[in-house]
Amino acid sequence: EPEVTQTPSHQVTQMGQEVILRCVPISNHLYFYWYRQILGQKVEFLVSFYNNEISEKSEIFDDQFSVERPDGSNFTLKIRSTKLEDSAMYFCASSNNSPLHFGNGTRLTVT
Amino acid sequence: AQSVTQPDIHITVSEGASLELRCNYSYGATPYLFWYVQSPGQGLQLLLKYFSGDTLVQGIKGFEAEFKRSQSSFNLRKPSVHWSDAAEYFCAVATDSWGKFQFGAGTQVVVTP
């Protein structure tokens, strides 16, 4: 069964540094998403992306965040200047007008 | 505002016993409802979904869930749990689009021998 793959599985970065989290969605999917889960908290919606543009974003997704689909396969989340509170598990998901398929997540630790 | 509540943070169940996980939602219209499972170090795997029609839905791994509109509930059940069912279970509601899911806080299931 096709899978959503995310790299790296764990990223450690210093506060103020830029990070890029990478995702390869399922190949025929058209809708792409990022969610995050701060330790001990709910999984939260960040952003959805369709037709090469953001279709919806949450209040969490401020100017420090950006998403990009640089080629036909990758979907990236960039955090421009990380803060301690950005430490979380970040999940990429994709769909084709169907339930979301999630990747295994990237655990981001900001020190 | 929409919300999803999973009242039980943690459940311990014996292997072979039945399991029921509760989920209540608050939403103005008939929502799209989902249950996902997260094993340690893994992503979120879809167990089952409800869009419309038969209110009892069957999922993978022997799970089922029943949508009860009158109670705004979508409880997940399994008649006989296996040790491999130990995981965290999330109820989710799709609100105004396919992808903007609202998740419950999750229920951690521990299976004892």
Side-chain angles (χ1 to χ4, degrees):
Chain A
E1 187 178 325
E3 290 184 344
V4 175
T5 56
Q6 290 186 244
T7 55
S9 56
H10 192 190
Q11 172 97 43
V12 181
T13 189
Q14 287 190 323
M15 193 169 54
Q17 296 297 304
E18 174 183 287
V19 294
I20 297 176
L21 309 182
R22 303 183 190 279
C23 169
V24 178
I26 294 173
S27 61
N28 66 339
H29 284 185
L30 301 177
Y31 302 83
F32 313 110
Y33 312 87
W34 284 100
Y35 283 74
R36 80 172 185 190
Q37 184 183 26
I38 294 172
L39 188 63
Q41 298 187 23
K42 291 185 179 185
V43 177
E44 304 171 290
F45 169 80
L46 290 179
V47 66
S48 58
F49 190 88
Y50 171 72
N51 201 25
N52 285 319
E53 61 183 24
I54 290 173
S55 49
E56 193 165 3
K57 60 183 181 179
S58 71
E59 59 275 11
I60 302 168
F61 195 87
D62 61 22
D63 291 344
Q64 293 298 312
F65 291 88
S66 62
V67 289
E68 193 177 35
R69 189 156 162 80
D71 52 42
S73 59
N74 291 285
F75 179 53
T76 62
L77 173 69
K78 181 192 291 186
I79 308 175
R80 191 165 304 124
S81 177
T82 50
K83 303 187 284 286
L84 294 176
E85 53 265 37
D86 293 327
S87 294
M89 180 74 88
Y90 288 81
F91 291 105
C92 174
S94 69
S95 78
N96 209 19
N97 211 22
S98 65
L100 303 189
H101 294 256
F102 285 86
N104 284 346
T106 293
R107 180 166 296 286
L108 176 65
T109 302
V110 182
T111 61
Chain B
Q2 297 89 4
S3 66
V4 181
T5 303
Q6 292 180 247
D8 304 304
I9 297 171
H10 189 271
I11 286 181
T12 299
V13 60
S14 299
E15 191 168 14
S18 64
L19 174 68
E20 181 166 12
L21 304 181
R22 295 183 290 166
C23 173
N24 294 95
Y25 65 89
S26 170
Y27 185 55
T30 300
Y32 302 104
L33 295 159
F34 308 85
W35 275 99
Y36 282 83
V37 61
Q38 184 181 28
S39 298
Q42 300 296 309
L44 295 160
Q45 182 183 23
L46 179 69
L47 284 175
L48 47 76
K49 60 185 185 290
Y50 173 78
F51 294 162
S52 64
D54 193 346
T55 56
L56 184 64
V57 294
Q58 303 297 320
I60 62 171
K61 304 186 180 189
F63 285 92
E64 66 177 25
E66 186 171 12
F67 170 60
K68 292 186 177 180
R69 186 191 304 274
S70 61
Q71 298 177 20
S72 296
S73 69
F74 188 57
N75 294 348
L76 180 72
R77 298 193 292 256
K78 185 167 183 177
S80 176
V81 299
H82 186 261
W83 63 266
S84 60
D85 294 322
E88 188 152 24
Y89 292 79
F90 294 93
C91 181
V93 173
T95 53
D96 52 0
S97 68
W98 285 98
K100 190 179 176 183
F101 281 21
Q102 190 155 353
F103 282 86
T107 298
Q108 185 72 46
V109 172
V110 172
V111 181
T112 59

